[in-house]
Amino acid sequence: FPAKELSLSGIQSTTADFVRCATLAKRAGYDGVEIMGSEGYLINQFLVQKTNKRTDEYGGPDFANRMRFAVDIVRQTRAAVGQDFILIFRLSMLDLVEDGSSW
């Protein structure tokens, strides 16, 4: 299947899904959650210039734009679950693809 750009409403909906999952985990008694922003998963595809071909506020050469999706997810999740819930964000430090993260 060819890749398809996620719409702005799709980004908002997906962000809400991450937040909802974390709030459900908290309600179920978990101490925290890990948000996967690594190894080619959806969030990582926004972060890496090789896979992010967007030209809006979620893409382009500016890393601040490419990380907006991840930051929105973390900020909204933190606001929903509070400070007493563990949030871990997994980040690839080396993507092993051209134009990938190579911290």
Side-chain angles (χ1 to χ4, degrees):
F1 298 97
K4 182 177 120 181
E5 184 175 287
L6 191 60
S7 68
L8 292 178
S9 64
I11 290 172
Q12 293 168 350
S13 173
T14 302
T15 300
D17 291 340
F18 275 95
V19 173
R20 183 172 189 278
C21 288
T23 58
L24 289 173
K26 182 176 181 178
R27 194 165 74 185
Y30 286 86
D31 296 326
V33 295
E34 181 175 34
I35 298 170
M36 292 295 292
S38 61
E39 286 86 37
Y41 290 105
L42 177 64
I43 297 171
N44 184 254
Q45 291 176 25
F46 275 77
L47 293 171
V48 176
Q49 192 168 2
K50 173 81 172 183
T51 54
N52 185 338
K53 302 301 181 190
R54 302 180 72 93
T55 58
D56 61 7
E57 67 267 28
Y58 289 93
D62 184 2
F63 188 62
N65 282 359
R66 296 195 319 272
M67 69 183 217
R68 187 178 317 276
F69 181 49
V71 171
D72 288 349
I73 290 170
V74 171
R75 284 185 178 153
Q76 291 179 38
T77 301
R78 174 56 70 207
V81 298
Q83 294 296 319
D84 62 338
F85 191 72
I86 299 166
L87 282 186
I88 300 168
F89 186 87
R90 185 176 294 240
L91 179 65
S92 289
M93 300 309 285
L94 183 63
D95 289 315
L96 299 175
V97 296
E98 186 179 336
D99 294 326
S101 301
S102 58
W103 310 81

